[in-house]
Amino acid sequence: QKEVEQNSGPLSVPEGAIASLNCTYSDRGSQSFFWYRQYSGKSPELIMSIYSNGDKEDGRFTAQLNKASQYVSLLIRDSQPSDSATYLCAVNMEYGNKLVFGAGTILRVKS
Amino acid sequence: NAGVMQNPRHLVRRRGQEARLRCSPMKGHSHVYWYRQLPEEGLKFMVYLQKENIIDESGMPKERFSAEFPKEGPSILRIQQVVRGDSAAYFCASSLDMNTEAFFGQGTRLTVV
C-alpha cells in the first residue's frame, strides 16, 4: 500500500513556464505537508510547508492542499534551469508518528 | 545557528565491520529522524527519536540496526556486521516538534567493500 504517491517524471518544462507537481497521500488524518527539493548527490532542502486547505505562496512557489481529496501540489512559476531537481513530497502521517516521503518527481527545465 | 550536522560525510567499511553514524540536530530541536536513500531510490523512513526515547522504529531492519538519542550528545545510528546492501546515503533530519518542518543534514554516504 503506497502511502505517498508522486509521478516519477521526468517532467520537462521550458524556461519561464509553470511547473506543476502533484502528490497524493493515504492517511486521511495527516496534518502536515512539505515539499523538499533534492539536487543529485545532495541532501533534501525544505522549500514549502502547508498545514491547512488552500494555497500558500512563497516567492515563485505555491503549495496547494486539499485534504478532502488527500492531494497536495506544488506550482513553480517562471521556472528556471536551476529549478531542475527532484521534488519530494512529504507527509506527517497521523499514525506511526513519522514523516513519509514520496519517491519524488524529477523536474527538468529547458533553457 | 548551525544546521543539522552529520558525521562522517563519507564512511567506508569492510563487510562484517560496524558502522556508526552521528547526527547533531539543530539547536533547540529534540526530534530526530533517520532516513536511508539507496541509489536512484527515494527516502525510506527508518526511525524517529526524541531525547532518550525511540518513538517509531517501524522502518528499521529487525537485525543489525539500532539507534539512540541520549540525553547528552548526538543521535547515533549503528549498523553491525555491515553487508554490501547497506551501502547507501543515510540522512538525519531534526524538527522542533512532530508537526513542524524537518531540516536535513548533509548525509553520510556509507560504502561497504
PDB file of all heavy atoms in Angstrom, chain B residues 42-68:
ATOM      1  N   GLY B  42      14.011   6.531  -3.489  1.00  0.00           N
ATOM      2  CA  GLY B  42      13.527   7.581  -2.603  1.00  0.00           C
ATOM      3  C   GLY B  42      14.022   7.423  -1.187  1.00  0.00           C
ATOM      4  O   GLY B  42      14.721   6.466  -0.842  1.00  0.00           O
ATOM      5  N   LEU B  43      13.645   8.379  -0.356  1.00  0.00           N
ATOM      6  CA  LEU B  43      13.999   8.351   1.056  1.00  0.00           C
ATOM      7  C   LEU B  43      13.093   7.375   1.801  1.00  0.00           C
ATOM      8  O   LEU B  43      11.874   7.508   1.758  1.00  0.00           O
ATOM      9  CB  LEU B  43      13.833   9.742   1.664  1.00  0.00           C
ATOM     10  CG  LEU B  43      14.902  10.768   1.330  1.00  0.00           C
ATOM     11  CD1 LEU B  43      14.399  12.163   1.629  1.00  0.00           C
ATOM     12  CD2 LEU B  43      16.161  10.489   2.124  1.00  0.00           C
ATOM     13  N   LYS B  44      13.701   6.448   2.503  1.00  0.00           N
ATOM     14  CA  LYS B  44      12.934   5.489   3.274  1.00  0.00           C
ATOM     15  C   LYS B  44      13.096   5.762   4.754  1.00  0.00           C
ATOM     16  O   LYS B  44      14.216   5.796   5.269  1.00  0.00           O
ATOM     17  CB  LYS B  44      13.391   4.050   2.966  1.00  0.00           C
ATOM     18  CG  LYS B  44      13.217   3.644   1.515  1.00  0.00           C
ATOM     19  CD  LYS B  44      11.780   3.696   1.060  1.00  0.00           C
ATOM     20  CE  LYS B  44      11.651   3.222  -0.382  1.00  0.00           C
ATOM     21  NZ  LYS B  44      10.278   3.414  -0.903  1.00  0.00           N
ATOM     22  N   PHE B  45      11.987   5.951   5.436  1.00  0.00           N
ATOM     23  CA  PHE B  45      12.000   6.195   6.868  1.00  0.00           C
ATOM     24  C   PHE B  45      12.593   4.999   7.599  1.00  0.00           C
ATOM     25  O   PHE B  45      12.298   3.851   7.288  1.00  0.00           O
ATOM     26  CB  PHE B  45      10.568   6.440   7.347  1.00  0.00           C
ATOM     27  CG  PHE B  45      10.409   6.450   8.843  1.00  0.00           C
ATOM     28  CD1 PHE B  45      10.716   7.587   9.568  1.00  0.00           C
ATOM     29  CD2 PHE B  45       9.951   5.335   9.513  1.00  0.00           C
ATOM     30  CE1 PHE B  45      10.565   7.604  10.945  1.00  0.00           C
ATOM     31  CE2 PHE B  45       9.792   5.335  10.881  1.00  0.00           C
ATOM     32  CZ  PHE B  45      10.106   6.478  11.605  1.00  0.00           C
ATOM     33  N   MET B  46      13.437   5.304   8.578  1.00  0.00           N
ATOM     34  CA  MET B  46      13.994   4.229   9.401  1.00  0.00           C
ATOM     35  C   MET B  46      13.492   4.328  10.839  1.00  0.00           C
ATOM     36  O   MET B  46      12.881   3.407  11.350  1.00  0.00           O
ATOM     37  CB  MET B  46      15.522   4.283   9.380  1.00  0.00           C
ATOM     38  CG  MET B  46      16.126   4.089   8.005  1.00  0.00           C
ATOM     39  SD  MET B  46      17.915   4.077   8.063  1.00  0.00           S
ATOM     40  CE  MET B  46      18.215   2.452   8.734  1.00  0.00           C
ATOM     41  N   VAL B  47      13.755   5.485  11.463  1.00  0.00           N
ATOM     42  CA  VAL B  47      13.448   5.598  12.888  1.00  0.00           C
ATOM     43  C   VAL B  47      13.230   7.048  13.257  1.00  0.00           C
ATOM     44  O   VAL B  47      13.802   7.951  12.635  1.00  0.00           O
ATOM     45  CB  VAL B  47      14.579   4.969  13.730  1.00  0.00           C
ATOM     46  CG1 VAL B  47      15.900   5.701  13.518  1.00  0.00           C
ATOM     47  CG2 VAL B  47      14.221   4.899  15.210  1.00  0.00           C
ATOM     48  N   TYR B  48      12.372   7.252  14.266  1.00  0.00           N
ATOM     49  CA  TYR B  48      12.069   8.585  14.787  1.00  0.00           C
ATOM     50  C   TYR B  48      12.336   8.550  16.279  1.00  0.00           C
ATOM     51  O   TYR B  48      11.814   7.692  16.995  1.00  0.00           O
ATOM     52  CB  TYR B  48      10.620   8.925  14.454  1.00  0.00           C
ATOM     53  CG  TYR B  48       9.991  10.084  15.189  1.00  0.00           C
ATOM     54  CD1 TYR B  48      10.704  11.226  15.535  1.00  0.00           C
ATOM     55  CD2 TYR B  48       8.641  10.036  15.515  1.00  0.00           C
ATOM     56  CE1 TYR B  48      10.098  12.274  16.192  1.00  0.00           C
ATOM     57  CE2 TYR B  48       8.026  11.089  16.170  1.00  0.00           C
ATOM     58  CZ  TYR B  48       8.754  12.208  16.512  1.00  0.00           C
ATOM     59  OH  TYR B  48       8.149  13.239  17.157  1.00  0.00           O
ATOM     60  N   LEU B  49      13.162   9.488  16.738  1.00  0.00           N
ATOM     61  CA  LEU B  49      13.556   9.506  18.140  1.00  0.00           C
ATOM     62  C   LEU B  49      13.349  10.878  18.749  1.00  0.00           C
ATOM     63  O   LEU B  49      13.451  11.898  18.050  1.00  0.00           O
ATOM     64  CB  LEU B  49      15.041   9.153  18.298  1.00  0.00           C
ATOM     65  CG  LEU B  49      15.573   7.906  17.611  1.00  0.00           C
ATOM     66  CD1 LEU B  49      16.387   8.288  16.384  1.00  0.00           C
ATOM     67  CD2 LEU B  49      16.417   7.100  18.555  1.00  0.00           C
ATOM     68  N   GLN B  50      13.047  10.881  20.020  1.00  0.00           N
ATOM     69  CA  GLN B  50      13.167  12.077  20.834  1.00  0.00           C
ATOM     70  C   GLN B  50      14.240  11.783  21.872  1.00  0.00           C
ATOM     71  O   GLN B  50      14.694  10.648  22.000  1.00  0.00           O
ATOM     72  CB  GLN B  50      11.851  12.420  21.499  1.00  0.00           C
ATOM     73  CG  GLN B  50      10.763  12.843  20.535  1.00  0.00           C
ATOM     74  CD  GLN B  50       9.482  13.218  21.250  1.00  0.00           C
ATOM     75  OE1 GLN B  50       9.509  13.810  22.326  1.00  0.00           O
ATOM     76  NE2 GLN B  50       8.360  12.855  20.671  1.00  0.00           N
ATOM     77  N   LYS B  51      14.602  12.783  22.625  1.00  0.00           N
ATOM     78  CA  LYS B  51      15.656  12.579  23.626  1.00  0.00           C
ATOM     79  C   LYS B  51      15.348  11.356  24.492  1.00  0.00           C
ATOM     80  O   LYS B  51      14.301  11.283  25.141  1.00  0.00           O
ATOM     81  CB  LYS B  51      15.764  13.814  24.515  1.00  0.00           C
ATOM     82  CG  LYS B  51      16.508  14.968  23.869  1.00  0.00           C
ATOM     83  CD  LYS B  51      17.986  14.700  23.796  1.00  0.00           C
ATOM     84  CE  LYS B  51      18.747  15.925  23.285  1.00  0.00           C
ATOM     85  NZ  LYS B  51      20.202  15.663  23.203  1.00  0.00           N
ATOM     86  N   GLU B  52      16.246  10.405  24.442  1.00  0.00           N
ATOM     87  CA  GLU B  52      16.206   9.188  25.254  1.00  0.00           C
ATOM     88  C   GLU B  52      15.054   8.250  24.916  1.00  0.00           C
ATOM     89  O   GLU B  52      14.861   7.244  25.611  1.00  0.00           O
ATOM     90  CB  GLU B  52      16.167   9.522  26.755  1.00  0.00           C
ATOM     91  CG  GLU B  52      17.363  10.329  27.217  1.00  0.00           C
ATOM     92  CD  GLU B  52      17.352  10.554  28.718  1.00  0.00           C
ATOM     93  OE1 GLU B  52      16.711  11.531  29.164  1.00  0.00           O
ATOM     94  OE2 GLU B  52      17.973   9.743  29.433  1.00  0.00           O
ATOM     95  N   ASN B  53      14.289   8.540  23.885  1.00  0.00           N
ATOM     96  CA  ASN B  53      13.161   7.675  23.533  1.00  0.00           C
ATOM     97  C   ASN B  53      13.128   7.360  22.038  1.00  0.00           C
ATOM     98  O   ASN B  53      13.369   8.231  21.211  1.00  0.00           O
ATOM     99  CB  ASN B  53      11.834   8.352  23.912  1.00  0.00           C
ATOM    100  CG  ASN B  53      11.637   8.413  25.399  1.00  0.00           C
ATOM    101  OD1 ASN B  53      11.693   7.418  26.091  1.00  0.00           O
ATOM    102  ND2 ASN B  53      11.406   9.619  25.894  1.00  0.00           N
ATOM    103  N   ILE B  54      12.806   6.121  21.723  1.00  0.00           N
ATOM    104  CA  ILE B  54      12.507   5.738  20.351  1.00  0.00           C
ATOM    105  C   ILE B  54      10.998   5.812  20.187  1.00  0.00           C
ATOM    106  O   ILE B  54      10.257   5.101  20.870  1.00  0.00           O
ATOM    107  CB  ILE B  54      13.014   4.316  20.038  1.00  0.00           C
ATOM    108  CG1 ILE B  54      14.539   4.269  20.147  1.00  0.00           C
ATOM    109  CG2 ILE B  54      12.564   3.897  18.638  1.00  0.00           C
ATOM    110  CD1 ILE B  54      15.124   2.867  19.982  1.00  0.00           C
ATOM    111  N   ILE B  55      10.540   6.678  19.300  1.00  0.00           N
ATOM    112  CA  ILE B  55       9.103   6.895  19.129  1.00  0.00           C
ATOM    113  C   ILE B  55       8.534   5.924  18.094  1.00  0.00           C
ATOM    114  O   ILE B  55       7.462   5.368  18.270  1.00  0.00           O
ATOM    115  CB  ILE B  55       8.796   8.337  18.724  1.00  0.00           C
ATOM    116  CG1 ILE B  55       9.424   9.322  19.708  1.00  0.00           C
ATOM    117  CG2 ILE B  55       7.300   8.552  18.578  1.00  0.00           C
ATOM    118  CD1 ILE B  55       8.964   9.145  21.133  1.00  0.00           C
ATOM    119  N   ASP B  56       9.256   5.746  17.014  1.00  0.00           N
ATOM    120  CA  ASP B  56       8.781   4.890  15.934  1.00  0.00           C
ATOM    121  C   ASP B  56       9.988   4.289  15.240  1.00  0.00           C
ATOM    122  O   ASP B  56      10.803   5.028  14.698  1.00  0.00           O
ATOM    123  CB  ASP B  56       7.931   5.709  14.945  1.00  0.00           C
ATOM    124  CG  ASP B  56       7.274   4.870  13.857  1.00  0.00           C
ATOM    125  OD1 ASP B  56       7.804   3.806  13.490  1.00  0.00           O
ATOM    126  OD2 ASP B  56       6.217   5.294  13.355  1.00  0.00           O
ATOM    127  N   GLU B  57      10.134   3.000  15.281  1.00  0.00           N
ATOM    128  CA  GLU B  57      11.254   2.330  14.606  1.00  0.00           C
ATOM    129  C   GLU B  57      10.728   1.346  13.572  1.00  0.00           C
ATOM    130  O   GLU B  57      11.395   0.356  13.247  1.00  0.00           O
ATOM    131  CB  GLU B  57      12.169   1.643  15.609  1.00  0.00           C
ATOM    132  CG  GLU B  57      11.477   0.637  16.501  1.00  0.00           C
ATOM    133  CD  GLU B  57      12.434   0.003  17.509  1.00  0.00           C
ATOM    134  OE1 GLU B  57      13.666   0.166  17.359  1.00  0.00           O
ATOM    135  OE2 GLU B  57      11.934  -0.656  18.435  1.00  0.00           O
ATOM    136  N   SER B  58       9.581   1.628  13.021  1.00  0.00           N
ATOM    137  CA  SER B  58       8.942   0.700  12.099  1.00  0.00           C
ATOM    138  C   SER B  58       9.720   0.510  10.798  1.00  0.00           C
ATOM    139  O   SER B  58       9.511  -0.458  10.086  1.00  0.00           O
ATOM    140  CB  SER B  58       7.517   1.160  11.782  1.00  0.00           C
ATOM    141  OG  SER B  58       7.520   2.464  11.236  1.00  0.00           O
ATOM    142  N   GLY B  59      10.610   1.424  10.484  1.00  0.00           N
ATOM    143  CA  GLY B  59      11.387   1.307   9.255  1.00  0.00           C
ATOM    144  C   GLY B  59      12.765   0.697   9.450  1.00  0.00           C
ATOM    145  O   GLY B  59      13.510   0.533   8.478  1.00  0.00           O
ATOM    146  N   MET B  60      13.072   0.339  10.643  1.00  0.00           N
ATOM    147  CA  MET B  60      14.400  -0.227  10.933  1.00  0.00           C
ATOM    148  C   MET B  60      14.401  -1.724  10.628  1.00  0.00           C
ATOM    149  O   MET B  60      13.498  -2.451  11.050  1.00  0.00           O
ATOM    150  CB  MET B  60      14.745  -0.028  12.401  1.00  0.00           C
ATOM    151  CG  MET B  60      15.059   1.403  12.751  1.00  0.00           C
ATOM    152  SD  MET B  60      16.743   1.835  12.369  1.00  0.00           S
ATOM    153  CE  MET B  60      17.518   1.336  13.901  1.00  0.00           C
ATOM    154  N   PRO B  61      15.430  -2.204   9.932  1.00  0.00           N
ATOM    155  CA  PRO B  61      15.570  -3.660   9.798  1.00  0.00           C
ATOM    156  C   PRO B  61      15.641  -4.300  11.182  1.00  0.00           C
ATOM    157  O   PRO B  61      16.141  -3.707  12.137  1.00  0.00           O
ATOM    158  CB  PRO B  61      16.898  -3.802   9.045  1.00  0.00           C
ATOM    159  CG  PRO B  61      17.054  -2.512   8.304  1.00  0.00           C
ATOM    160  CD  PRO B  61      16.468  -1.479   9.197  1.00  0.00           C
ATOM    161  N   LYS B  62      15.119  -5.514  11.272  1.00  0.00           N
ATOM    162  CA  LYS B  62      14.997  -6.157  12.585  1.00  0.00           C
ATOM    163  C   LYS B  62      16.343  -6.518  13.189  1.00  0.00           C
ATOM    164  O   LYS B  62      16.495  -6.571  14.412  1.00  0.00           O
ATOM    165  CB  LYS B  62      14.148  -7.431  12.451  1.00  0.00           C
ATOM    166  CG  LYS B  62      12.703  -7.151  12.038  1.00  0.00           C
ATOM    167  CD  LYS B  62      11.927  -6.494  13.158  1.00  0.00           C
ATOM    168  CE  LYS B  62      10.473  -6.339  12.754  1.00  0.00           C
ATOM    169  NZ  LYS B  62      10.058  -4.960  12.664  1.00  0.00           N
ATOM    170  N   GLU B  63      17.308  -6.768  12.345  1.00  0.00           N
ATOM    171  CA  GLU B  63      18.612  -7.187  12.854  1.00  0.00           C
ATOM    172  C   GLU B  63      19.691  -6.204  12.411  1.00  0.00           C
ATOM    173  O   GLU B  63      19.565  -5.541  11.383  1.00  0.00           O
ATOM    174  CB  GLU B  63      18.943  -8.594  12.326  1.00  0.00           C
ATOM    175  CG  GLU B  63      17.963  -9.648  12.799  1.00  0.00           C
ATOM    176  CD  GLU B  63      18.254 -11.022  12.208  1.00  0.00           C
ATOM    177  OE1 GLU B  63      19.086 -11.117  11.290  1.00  0.00           O
ATOM    178  OE2 GLU B  63      17.647 -12.000  12.679  1.00  0.00           O
ATOM    179  N   ARG B  64      20.706  -6.111  13.191  1.00  0.00           N
ATOM    180  CA  ARG B  64      21.954  -5.388  12.919  1.00  0.00           C
ATOM    181  C   ARG B  64      21.843  -3.877  13.050  1.00  0.00           C
ATOM    182  O   ARG B  64      22.870  -3.205  13.164  1.00  0.00           O
ATOM    183  CB  ARG B  64      22.522  -5.746  11.525  1.00  0.00           C
ATOM    184  CG  ARG B  64      22.780  -7.217  11.302  1.00  0.00           C
ATOM    185  CD  ARG B  64      23.536  -7.456  10.005  1.00  0.00           C
ATOM    186  NE  ARG B  64      22.753  -7.053   8.834  1.00  0.00           N
ATOM    187  CZ  ARG B  64      23.039  -6.001   8.082  1.00  0.00           C
ATOM    188  NH1 ARG B  64      24.078  -5.226   8.365  1.00  0.00           N
ATOM    189  NH2 ARG B  64      22.286  -5.709   7.033  1.00  0.00           N
ATOM    190  N   PHE B  65      20.666  -3.319  13.005  1.00  0.00           N
ATOM    191  CA  PHE B  65      20.494  -1.865  13.049  1.00  0.00           C
ATOM    192  C   PHE B  65      19.956  -1.436  14.411  1.00  0.00           C
ATOM    193  O   PHE B  65      19.044  -2.057  14.952  1.00  0.00           O
ATOM    194  CB  PHE B  65      19.512  -1.402  11.971  1.00  0.00           C
ATOM    195  CG  PHE B  65      20.065  -1.407  10.577  1.00  0.00           C
ATOM    196  CD1 PHE B  65      20.285  -2.599   9.901  1.00  0.00           C
ATOM    197  CD2 PHE B  65      20.353  -0.215   9.927  1.00  0.00           C
ATOM    198  CE1 PHE B  65      20.802  -2.607   8.609  1.00  0.00           C
ATOM    199  CE2 PHE B  65      20.855  -0.209   8.627  1.00  0.00           C
ATOM    200  CZ  PHE B  65      21.083  -1.409   7.982  1.00  0.00           C
ATOM    201  N   SER B  66      20.499  -0.355  14.938  1.00  0.00           N
ATOM    202  CA  SER B  66      19.979   0.211  16.172  1.00  0.00           C
ATOM    203  C   SER B  66      20.206   1.714  16.153  1.00  0.00           C
ATOM    204  O   SER B  66      21.063   2.219  15.429  1.00  0.00           O
ATOM    205  CB  SER B  66      20.645  -0.415  17.402  1.00  0.00           C
ATOM    206  OG  SER B  66      22.033  -0.140  17.400  1.00  0.00           O
ATOM    207  N   ALA B  67      19.411   2.417  16.945  1.00  0.00           N
ATOM    208  CA  ALA B  67      19.539   3.876  17.007  1.00  0.00           C
ATOM    209  C   ALA B  67      19.308   4.329  18.430  1.00  0.00           C
ATOM    210  O   ALA B  67      18.575   3.696  19.187  1.00  0.00           O
ATOM    211  CB  ALA B  67      18.534   4.543  16.066  1.00  0.00           C
ATOM    212  N   GLU B  68      19.954   5.443  18.746  1.00  0.00           N
ATOM    213  CA  GLU B  68      19.747   6.029  20.058  1.00  0.00           C
ATOM    214  C   GLU B  68      19.885   7.537  19.964  1.00  0.00           C
ATOM    215  O   GLU B  68      20.508   8.071  19.042  1.00  0.00           O
ATOM    216  CB  GLU B  68      20.766   5.478  21.068  1.00  0.00           C
ATOM    217  CG  GLU B  68      22.198   5.788  20.734  1.00  0.00           C
ATOM    218  CD  GLU B  68      23.168   5.278  21.793  1.00  0.00           C
ATOM    219  OE1 GLU B  68      22.727   4.631  22.760  1.00  0.00           O
ATOM    220  OE2 GLU B  68      24.363   5.545  21.664  1.00  0.00           O
TER     221      GLU B  68
END
